[in-house]
Amino acid sequence: MSIYTIVLFVHIIGAIGYFLSIGSWLFILVGLRRAQRVEEVRALMYVNDLSVPFGDGSGLVLLIAGLYLALSVWSLLTSWILVALISLILILPTNAVLIGPRRRALIKQLEHSAPEGKISLALSQHIYNPILWTTSQTTAVLLLGIVFLMTTKPDLGGSLIVMAVALVFGLLSSLLISRRRHTSPQEAADQRVPNNVSAS
């Protein structure tokens, strides 16, 4: 057993952990959009509170181990490594900038909501923020693109094409899914009004 194999193992574990973090956040987003009551939102966001540090740590481990492997065994000038590392370096801060503040705003609004009951329009607006879903799903597809680069090791042109296709596919698929399942915050809030209200 060599240092290379150990670091490679750590690198793979970091990738799996980051995938799990993004996947769990997508699962939470789906649950939030189906939630009917504030209690359900609180439960889902509690799961989110547990997964965020795990995802941040996994992303950091993935990047550090990847840099070590690139510098010690390969070269940063290797086409697929260069494209993969640049993609990962862009993904991590982009997620922090686009997802982090909106997730914190949702949590803050949740803190100002009633302890229980129907979800308010203000909370629905945070839940249905399209950037949360688009960024998360696109990130998942981009990570698959990076795994493809690590597996097939294409040249520079092929690597750029792979990541460009992953970016376009991630954006288009997220937009299509959002449009298919689209419900405006006002409509979502209206649907959460008890049926007996209209009857009365």
Side-chain angles (χ1 to χ4, degrees):
M1 183 182 296
S2 64
I3 295 179
Y4 171 80
T5 56
I6 295 175
V7 176
L8 179 60
F9 172 75
V10 172
H11 183 59
I12 294 173
I13 292 299
I16 293 173
Y18 198 63
F19 262 114
L20 288 175
S21 174
I22 294 297
S24 65
W25 175 236
L26 286 171
F27 173 79
I28 289 170
L29 285 177
V30 172
L32 289 173
R33 293 189 174 198
R34 292 179 177 272
Q36 298 292 317
R37 301 182 63 82
V38 175
E39 304 94 296
E40 298 174 79
V41 177
R42 291 188 191 281
L44 288 167
M45 293 310 295
Y46 176 74
V47 176
N48 166 75
D49 291 341
L50 296 176
S51 66
V52 168
F54 175 75
D56 292 343
S58 297
L60 189 60
V61 167
L62 174 63
L63 181 58
I64 293 175
L67 282 170
Y68 176 85
L69 294 174
L71 292 172
S72 62
V73 179
W74 298 82
S75 168
L76 287 178
L77 298 180
T78 304
S79 300
W80 65 271
I81 292 178
L82 182 62
V83 174
L85 280 176
I86 290 176
S87 299
L88 187 59
I89 290 171
L90 291 175
I91 286 172
L92 295 179
T94 298
N95 273 359
V97 170
L98 294 181
I99 295 179
R102 290 166 178 81
R103 184 157 44 190
R104 289 191 294 271
L106 196 161
I107 294 173
K108 185 176 181 180
Q109 182 60 49
L110 183 60
E111 292 173 350
H112 289 87
S113 300
E116 57 184 25
K118 295 294 180 178
I119 296 174
S120 66
L121 175 59
L123 186 56
S124 289
Q125 289 174 336
H126 290 286
I127 291 173
Y128 282 84
N129 190 310
I131 294 179
L132 289 176
W133 180 269
T134 300
T135 304
S136 301
Q137 184 168 329
T138 302
T139 296
V141 179
L142 287 173
L143 290 175
L144 287 176
I146 293 176
V147 172
F148 184 85
L149 295 184
M150 295 169 60
T151 306
T152 61
K153 301 175 175 58
D155 58 17
L156 180 60
S159 300
L160 292 174
I161 290 173
V162 167
M163 295 311 298
V165 170
L167 177 61
V168 172
F169 181 77
L171 290 172
L172 289 179
S173 61
S174 62
L175 291 175
L176 287 174
I177 292 176
S178 295
R179 180 173 296 181
R180 219 168 111 191
R181 298 180 177 178
H182 178 71
T183 305
S184 69
Q186 181 62 59
E187 291 171 339
D190 292 343
Q191 291 172 4
R192 290 169 179 138
V193 176
N195 293 330
N196 57 7
V197 171
S198 58
S200 60

